[in-house]
């Protein structure tokens, strides 16, 4: 399939410019919870589910490129917005890691059929691990891009004590970022305390499916060694880490997207020949 895949990727990269026949936004209602916006393409198994990063949404370059790719292969694909993100209901500042984990599990349980390859970007990479632990039967493989497992908790706890105390007295931690207009992300102390309940790196991670972790050495938001820690801790015997020397956090360059697509293509190959 390698030559087929290369031709297909070229096709995909041309087509993403034209955005033809894009899937339509649908809304899933949930009892007592905000509605979730999603886009779905029906197709073969294993399906692919994309989990975006914090403050991001399902209309990013990686999410759109993956839709084109899955369509051309005839595999099912699902992308969605977490609570408080994009077109979904809810308020971003009220969300927690637990809130978004629930979103992912709802999507897996109610909107997807059969085992899925979960592709998680940044915090989506953390959520992908949590989902794989909670739903092993629904998880065929994992692809992490700039995986941010435990990152916010670890980063906060590694600040000098005085700095931590300052933020604690304010009740809010402000993190400089290039990715918002304000130039900062704001996290409440409650958010960080809740996030501690979802940390995965202190012990072996009970995930046995194939795992691929792609990370850029030039990532200024999430250190690449987090992907190494994940690789060391997952119980799976089939784990690869791919470090991109010039890769940034968002991994949106043409070659980054190509690598993501090749990686998923290879996993689909592997999973379908294993069956």
């Amino acid at each position: 399939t390698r030559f087929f895949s290369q031709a297909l990727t070229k096709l995909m990269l041309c087509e993403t410019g034209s955005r033809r026949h894009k899937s339509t936004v649908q809304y899933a209602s949930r009892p007592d919870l905000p509605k979730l916006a999603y886009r779905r393409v029906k197709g073969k198994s294993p399906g692919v589910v994309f989990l975006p990063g914090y403050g991001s949404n399902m209309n990013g370059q990686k999410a759109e490129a993956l839709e084109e790719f899955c369509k051309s292969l005839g595999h099912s694909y699902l992308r969605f917005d977490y609570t408080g993100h994009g077109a979904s209901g809810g308020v971003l500042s009220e969300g927690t890691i637990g809130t978004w984990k629930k979103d992912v599990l709802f999507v897996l349980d109610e909107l997807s059929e059969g085992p899925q390859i979960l592709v998680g970007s940044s915090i989506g990479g953390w959520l992908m691990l949590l989902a794989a632990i909670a739903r092993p039967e629904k998880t065929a493989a994992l692809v992490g891009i700039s995986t941010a497992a435990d990152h916010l908790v670890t980063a906060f706890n590694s600040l000098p004590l005085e700095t931590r105390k300052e933020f604690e007295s304010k009740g809010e931690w402000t993190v400089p970022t290039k990715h918002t207009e304000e130039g900062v992300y704001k996290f409440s102390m409650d958010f960080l305390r809740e996030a501690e309940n979802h940390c995965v790196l202190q012990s072996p991670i009970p995930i046995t499916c194939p795992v691929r972790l792609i990370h850029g050495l030039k990532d200024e938001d999430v250190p690449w060694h987090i992907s190494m820690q994940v690789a060391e801790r997952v119980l799976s015997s089939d784990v690869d880490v791919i470090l991109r020397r010039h890769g940034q956090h968002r991994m949106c360059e043409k070659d980054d997207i190509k690598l993501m697509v090749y990686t998923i293509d290879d996993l689909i190959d592997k999973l379908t020949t294993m069956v």
Side-chain angles (χ1 to χ4, degrees), residues 219-257:
D219 189 332
E220 292 175 2
D221 298 275
V222 177
W224 58 265
H225 63 73
I226 290 179
S227 284
M228 306 301 279
Q229 289 175 301
V230 172
E232 282 166 10
R233 284 165 180 71
V234 288
L235 297 180
S236 172
S237 57
D238 183 2
V239 182
D240 290 334
V241 182
I242 304 162
L243 296 176
R244 291 192 59 78
R245 185 172 167 188
H246 298 295
Q248 314 266 335
H249 181 64
R250 287 213 156 160
M251 286 280 177
C252 280
E253 297 297 320
K254 212 173 237 192
D255 283 344
D256 297 331
I257 288 176

Side-chain angles (χ1 to χ4, degrees), residues 9-275:
T9 304
K10 282 183 187 134
L11 162 97
M12 181 206 83
L13 291 167
C14 300
E15 284 198 351
T16 41
S18 64
R19 305 272 182 262
R20 285 186 311 196
H21 314 305
K22 215 161 58 168
S23 55
T24 50
V25 179
Q26 301 180 68
Y27 294 93
S29 296
R30 304 180 289 172
D32 309 321
L33 288 171
K35 63 178 195 279
L36 287 184
Y38 68 96
R39 293 172 179 267
R40 181 167 57 187
V41 176
K42 294 232 158 113
K44 290 183 294 196
S45 205
V48 176
V49 178
F50 184 75
L51 312 182
Y54 174 80
S56 186
N57 61 50
M58 61 175 162
N59 299 321
Q61 285 163 289
K62 294 188 292 290
E64 302 234 318
L66 271 186
E67 177 167 306
E68 292 293 338
F69 171 67
C70 289
K71 267 187 191 165
S72 52
L73 269 192
H75 280 260
S76 76
Y77 178 61
L78 184 73
R79 49 184 166 130
F80 69 102
D81 289 335
Y82 309 122
T83 300
H85 289 67
S88 287
V91 182
L92 177 62
S93 60
E94 290 170 13
T96 62
I97 299 297
T99 306
W100 303 323
K101 176 187 168 182
K102 266 189 197 142
D103 294 347
V104 179
L105 296 182
F106 174 84
V107 159
L108 284 178
D109 294 341
E110 304 297 330
L111 303 178
S112 74
E113 285 168 33
Q116 305 293 319
I117 297 172
L118 304 184
V119 182
S121 175
S122 195
I123 271 189
W126 183 359
L127 295 168
M128 142 192 115
L129 296 169
L130 296 172
I133 294 165
R135 297 288 188 274
E137 71 291 349
K138 292 285 292 194
T139 311
L142 299 179
V143 179
I145 298 154
S146 316
T147 299
D150 301 11
H151 175 56
L152 293 167
V153 175
T154 314
F156 183 77
N157 290 340
S158 60
L159 293 170
L161 184 62
E162 284 305 303
T163 315
R164 282 207 308 270
K165 280 185 171 159
E166 271 173 49
F167 286 127
E168 278 163 9
S169 63
K170 279 185 204 153
E172 188 174 68
W173 177 34
T174 48
V175 186
T177 178
K178 295 174 187 162
H179 307 308
T180 67
E181 284 176 23
E182 297 169 70
V184 290
Y185 286 136
K186 294 175 181 176
F187 300 104
S188 71
M189 290 303 121
D190 289 344
F191 176 93
L192 288 167
R193 277 189 283 271
E194 197 276 342
E196 284 177 0
N197 303 323
H198 303 286
C199 286
V200 292
L201 293 177
Q202 305 96 324
S203 53
I205 304 172
I207 289 172
T208 54
C209 66
V211 178
R212 303 289 178 267
L213 301 161
I214 303 171
H215 217 123
L217 295 182
K218 299 263 195 301
D219 189 332
E220 292 175 2
D221 298 275
V222 177
W224 58 265
H225 63 73
I226 290 179
S227 284
M228 306 301 279
Q229 289 175 301
V230 172
E232 282 166 10
R233 284 165 180 71
V234 288
L235 297 180
S236 172
S237 57
D238 183 2
V239 182
D240 290 334
V241 182
I242 304 162
L243 296 176
R244 291 192 59 78
R245 185 172 167 188
H246 298 295
Q248 314 266 335
H249 181 64
R250 287 213 156 160
M251 286 280 177
C252 280
E253 297 297 320
K254 212 173 237 192
D255 283 344
D256 297 331
I257 288 176
K258 227 183 248 184
L259 174 64
M260 174 184 74
V261 165
Y262 284 159
T263 305
I264 294 162
D265 187 41
D266 197 50
L267 281 169
I268 288 176
D269 252 13
K270 185 177 208 135
L271 293 164
T272 44
T273 48
M274 272 171 23
V275 172

